[in-house]
Amino acid sequence: MNKKVVAQRNRITRIIPSQWLDRCALVAALLVAALFTGLNMFHYPQYESDEGTYMASAWAMFEQGQLSYYTYTYDHPLLGWFQIGMWTKLVGGFFTFGMSSVDTGRLLMLLVTVLSTLLIFLIVRQATGRTVAALLAAVIFAASPLGVGLHRQVWLDNIATLWLLASLYALISAKGRLSRIVLSAIAFSLAFWTKEVFAIFLPGMLYLTFTQAHFAHRRFAFALWGTTTVSAMSLFVLLALLKDELLPPGVLPWSSQEAHVSLVDTYLYQISRGNGEGFLAFGAFLEQWVGVDYLLMLSGLAAAGLGLLFWRRDRYFFGVSILTFSCLLFLGRGGVVLHYYVIPLLALLTLALGLSVGHIANVAIRRGVPKRAIALALLVFTVMLVQGDVHANSINFTADRTPAQREMVNWIAGNLPSDSVMLMDAYPWVELHDSSFTGGSPFPNAHYFQPALNDPAVRDGILQDNWRNIDYLAYSPSMDKSFSWINGEIANEGQSLPLIKDASENSDAIQTFKSGDWEMEIRRVRKPHQYPATDNPILAKTWASYKERFIESGRVVDPKANQITTSEGQSYALLRAVYMDDQQTFNEVWGWTQDNLQVRKDALFSWQWGTRSDQTQGVLDEDAATDADQDIALALLFAAQRWDAPEYQREALEIIHAIWKQETATIDKRPVVVAGNWAQGDGAGGSRQPIVNPSYFAPYEYRIFADVDPEHRW
């Protein structure tokens, strides 16, 4: 056979197994990413405020044509939630994958994580030529117990990190091609437009562009990448300039004098945040991150440090190290650090670790260590790592904090008036503003507490800077974390926080929801006489349930006491019927009470009715109970006023006169209400001394009785 043909066949024989192994390793890495991120994804950790903010801004952009769900302040560029909105349109809506819009966003995060894992694999494979090193890096990224919880949540940092990785892959695979340089610039621009803080990577990316471009047109490629990127980033400033929101009001001669947001004010405020302690403030978070995943954090930092030594041998590795330490310097700058700021750092540490492992493997091979031995060792370590990460992620895989959050939003939608002014966490914002979720009755005045306290349109417009204009507070642990109470004041900066404090102090918990250690409650702000009871859906549903369970043809039945009916039970039903403006039920209950309990010779009521020993039904005890007689009289007086029915007042006066005559006694020359007609102490009821039950005293009723019965000293 021709020697050329034989050589070609041998080359094909070598290539096919290599490609097959590469593909198997890649599929394995992507499966790990999908399983670790997707398992229990809709249930843990919990729905965060920022997740709700990004979903709400996407909803406002695509459903209402707004830049954001509140006044757009340039805190983040628009592309982040634009991408989320496009995803919801692609999959069929905000509630395609569950009752929460955040669930739909989290499915996008699953896709983002899988694609990020793919890019990490490809970058390490391209840079080192070692598939096992690429597999190890991809698995470390996908299965990190620190990363799993963050990768499944709707953070703009996840999306921006994907674009950063895409830009890095375009550079490593450029091989001198200008088209890849341009693609890298576009991808990095998208990262910036997703999360503005990714601008910190600009110097490192410029260095990588210069080193990865072909030497023949290196300067041109450098200028092309820089011009493309900076031009795209400058559009953010241009947007603010065109909207006359670049500088504060009145700074420029043509600028509006009216108060408005400005990009400069926003970033001056962002810079001013924090305690100025630099790495000392960052240290607490770093310690926390290391505690969750010490393998990735410590080995990744060591690998990034090693990469600085490769500034001549591997410029790409050196550039990744620059990016890594740029991120560390940003986090340690002394400003505010939030737990999810570590997301891009995780990806960069993983890249540094994968590149260092690949280089070490290459050095070992050049010194005679068999390739298969190295590949087998790394493969075994990767499998052991996956097994360990399964245990380390047990909470991520099993815990469920979301039931309380789901129950609360369902309860709000089903029980509170849709025009209620409510301050709440951000996660249910879309649900309560979307007609499809609320059955056609959205809650336009359900506000995320942060904008409500900061946005003048809400704070000064809707709330009028007055806590009394708030109807409900939907409390969650996320709200507690946002406020630090010091000597009765909330220490958060730049917020009109007394609204929350005063509303909370003048409110009552009406419903509580729990799931594990996550507890939430609905608090109603006290505003007497502001709304009719009939307009309150909670009271309306409670009254309907009460009637269905306890009232039978006007008789109030106690199912826990052998179907007994008491005069007290009848009196409570009469008062509730008046309060709920339900004259039909009032008449039914009053009619049954007259026919079956008002059977004494006076106008008072026998206190107990039920089944006798001979199985007939009737009065079981003819004695009267003063508390019930008083309440029935009060209910009749209220009914006379509410329904303009004088006959109720006439009947009430008969009862009031009977109470004075039959249920009072003179003690120390003063009239005192006693426990019943049997308790006057005249011996008629078996008692030689008056019997007083203090719990029957109702001074508020006596003031009303005095108005209609001036003949007696009530």
Side-chain angles (χ1 to χ4, degrees):
M1 184 179 293
N2 189 300
K3 291 183 178 180
K4 186 176 180 179
V5 174
V6 172
Q8 186 175 4
R9 286 185 177 181
N10 291 337
R11 186 166 60 252
I12 293 173
T13 303
R14 288 194 301 269
I15 291 174
I16 291 177
S18 176
Q19 292 178 341
W20 183 82
L21 290 173
D22 280 355
R23 291 170 183 173
C24 287
L26 178 57
V27 170
L30 299 183
L31 283 175
V32 169
L35 291 174
F36 274 73
T37 306
L39 187 61
N40 203 42
M41 179 176 65
F42 295 155
H43 302 282
Y44 190 82
Q46 64 274 334
Y47 298 136
E48 291 281 3
S49 297
D50 282 0
E51 291 187 277
T53 290
Y54 303 142
M55 296 306 301
S57 292
W59 184 89
M61 180 176 284
F62 281 80
E63 299 296 329
Q64 296 181 325
Q66 304 294 325
L67 294 181
S68 180
Y69 71 138
Y70 287 105
T71 301
Y72 180 55
T73 61
Y74 300 91
D75 51 342
H76 298 308
L78 305 169
L79 186 64
W81 48 86
F82 176 82
Q83 294 169 89
I84 295 172
M86 288 296 295
W87 165 256
T88 63
K89 291 298 181 182
L90 180 65
V91 299
F94 283 84
F95 304 105
T96 302
F97 299 99
M99 63 138 282
S100 174
S101 60
V102 176
D103 288 342
T104 301
R106 286 192 174 187
L107 196 67
L108 173 61
M109 295 303 106
L110 173 61
L111 177 61
V112 166
T113 302
V114 171
L115 292 176
S116 297
T117 304
L118 169 64
L119 288 171
I120 286 175
F121 182 97
L122 294 177
I123 290 171
V124 176
R125 177 70 177 83
Q126 182 78 28
T128 66
R130 296 296 153 207
T131 300
V132 286
L135 175 62
L136 176 62
V139 167
I140 289 176
F141 175 79
S144 164
L146 177 58
V148 167
L150 294 170
H151 291 157
R152 64 175 49 161
Q153 291 183 290
V154 186
W155 305 120
L156 298 184
D157 306 69
N158 283 322
I159 306 175
T161 299
L162 172 64
W163 290 120
L164 176 63
L165 292 172
S167 181
L168 287 170
Y169 177 67
L171 288 179
I172 193 64
S173 62
K175 299 186 185 303
R177 288 174 290 182
L178 287 175
S179 60
R180 292 295 179 94
I181 299 295
V182 173
L183 285 176
S184 173
I186 293 173
F188 185 79
S189 301
L190 294 176
F192 168 82
W193 268 92
T194 301
K195 193 72 181 285
E196 75 290 342
V197 297
F198 276 62
I200 63 171
F201 299 120
L202 183 59
M205 293 300 298
L206 285 170
Y207 170 81
L208 282 169
T209 301
F210 186 80
T211 59
Q212 296 303 306
H214 193 278
F215 72 91
H217 52 238
R218 181 164 289 163
R219 293 182 179 180
F220 177 76
F222 177 84
L224 179 62
W225 193 98
T227 302
T228 302
T229 302
V230 174
S231 297
M233 294 169 66
S234 66
L235 293 176
F236 188 46
V237 178
L238 179 61
L239 172 66
L241 182 64
L242 293 176
K243 293 175 89 272
D244 191 22
E245 292 176 346
L246 176 62
L247 298 174
V251 173
L252 297 175
W254 58 84
S255 177
S256 170
Q257 299 294 322
E258 297 181 2
H260 60 72
V261 301
S262 79
L263 184 148
V264 171
D265 276 344
T266 295
Y267 284 95
L268 287 176
Y269 167 69
Q270 295 290 352
I271 293 171
S272 69
R273 297 175 68 193
N275 52 23
E277 294 181 358
F279 276 102
L280 293 178
F282 169 55
F285 271 101
L286 185 60
E287 182 180 356
Q288 176 185 339
W289 294 331
V290 171
V292 177
D293 192 348
Y294 65 89
L295 174 63
L296 174 55
M297 295 299 298
L298 296 181
S299 61
L301 288 172
L306 178 64
L308 296 178
L309 303 177
F310 278 68
W311 66 280
R312 284 192 175 184
R313 295 185 58 186
D314 189 337
R315 301 283 179 86
Y316 189 85
F317 190 9
F318 179 72
V320 169
S321 295
I322 291 177
L323 296 177
T324 303
F325 285 103
S326 297
C327 189
L328 284 169
L329 288 172
F330 170 75
L331 294 176
R333 72 196 186 282
V336 171
V337 177
L338 300 177
H339 67 286
Y340 57 85
Y341 284 9
V342 75
I343 289 174
L345 181 62
L346 293 178
L348 293 171
L349 290 174
T350 303
L351 280 180
L353 186 57
L355 293 173
S356 63
V357 169
H359 278 295
I360 293 171
N362 287 335
V363 171
I365 291 170
R366 285 196 297 270
R367 295 190 177 184
V369 180
K371 292 182 181 180
R372 292 185 179 181
I374 293 176
L376 182 60
L378 290 177
L379 184 60
V380 170
F381 178 76
T382 302
V383 173
M384 293 174 62
L385 180 66
V386 171
Q387 291 177 333
D389 281 338
V390 169
H391 175 72
N393 281 287
S394 58
I395 294 179
N396 286 323
F397 293 159
T398 58
D400 190 352
R401 279 180 168 179
T402 60
Q405 295 179 299
R406 298 171 189 266
E407 290 168 12
M408 189 178 81
V409 65
N410 280 325
W411 190 89
I412 291 172
N415 293 278
L416 297 185
S418 60
D419 60 349
S420 299
V421 177
M422 184 188 320
L423 297 187
M424 61 179 187
D425 211 337
Y427 79 88
W429 198 95
V430 173
E431 285 72 14
L432 294 179
H433 286 77
D434 193 290
S435 296
S436 65
F437 184 89
T438 57
S441 299
F443 288 70
N445 293 319
H447 295 289
Y448 177 31
F449 66 91
Q450 293 280 13
L453 300 177
N454 287 318
D455 192 335
V458 180
R459 184 188 65 235
D460 301 327
I462 296 173
L463 301 181
Q464 299 178 5
D465 206 16
N466 188 338
W467 65 267
R468 293 176 180 84
N469 292 319
I470 302 170
D471 297 321
Y472 298 94
L473 297 172
Y475 262 116
S476 70
S478 297
M479 292 180 70
D480 291 336
K481 292 177 183 177
S482 298
F483 303 122
S484 301
W485 296 86
I486 300 177
N487 297 325
E489 297 294 332
I490 309 178
N492 265 28
E493 53 212 328
Q495 301 195 36
S496 178
L497 296 171
L499 283 177
I500 289 281
K501 178 177 180 291
D502 293 339
S504 178
E505 290 176 349
N506 292 276
S507 65
D508 303 292
I510 60 174
Q511 195 73 21
T512 301
F513 310 91
K514 294 182 179 180
S515 52
D517 60 346
W518 200 259
E519 181 173 340
M520 314 178 73
E521 67 179 13
I522 307 292
R523 301 186 66 86
R524 180 167 52 203
V525 179
R526 303 184 200 114
K527 291 188 283 188
H529 312 301
Q530 183 164 347
Y531 300 112
T534 51
D535 289 347
N536 189 321
I538 302 175
L539 292 177
K541 288 189 176 184
T542 302
W543 175 237
S545 175
Y546 175 83
K547 290 192 295 181
E548 181 180 353
R549 292 183 60 189
F550 300 110
I551 300 179
E552 298 177 0
S553 302
R555 174 193 171 201
V556 181
V557 179
D558 187 348
K560 294 184 178 180
N562 298 321
Q563 305 295 308
I564 291 293
T565 294
T566 63
S567 56
E568 289 94 337
Q570 297 298 114
S571 70
Y572 302 151
L574 290 171
L575 287 169
R576 289 165 180 158
V578 176
Y579 188 68
M580 295 305 299
D581 197 18
D582 188 347
Q583 189 173 8
Q584 179 180 347
T585 301
F586 183 92
N587 288 336
E588 291 176 359
V589 174
W590 175 229
W592 189 95
T593 304
Q594 286 180 297
D595 294 342
N596 295 277
L597 298 183
Q598 201 176 30
V599 293
R600 297 164 47 85
K601 294 180 180 180
D602 50 34
L604 302 180
F605 303 89
S606 301
W607 84 276
Q608 193 176 69
W609 192 97
T611 303
R612 305 186 183 100
S613 57
D614 61 0
Q615 301 304 308
T616 61
Q617 290 188 321
V619 172
L620 302 180
D621 190 331
E622 291 187 356
D623 284 332
T626 304
D627 61 332
D629 298 335
Q630 294 174 151
D631 288 346
I632 291 174
L634 182 66
L636 288 166
L637 291 176
F638 285 165
Q641 292 293 320
R642 177 176 283 278
W643 297 310
D644 192 21
E647 63 273 14
Y648 292 137
Q649 182 163 327
R650 289 193 295 269
E651 293 166 333
L653 279 172
E654 293 180 9
I655 301 169
I656 292 171
H657 292 154
I659 292 172
W660 186 272
K661 182 177 180 180
Q662 301 292 336
E663 295 180 326
T664 63
T666 301
I667 302 176
D668 195 20
K669 298 181 180 181
R670 298 186 65 178
V672 176
V673 171
V674 295
N677 64 292
W678 49 272
Q680 288 182 302
D682 56 3
S687 172
R688 296 293 180 180
Q689 297 292 331
I691 298 176
V692 175
N693 186 339
S695 68
Y696 286 4
F697 293 165
Y700 60 93
E701 294 186 345
Y702 305 150
R703 289 194 290 270
I704 298 173
F705 292 169
D707 289 339
V708 297
D709 182 27
E711 297 178 4
H712 298 111
R713 295 172 53 200
W714 288 100

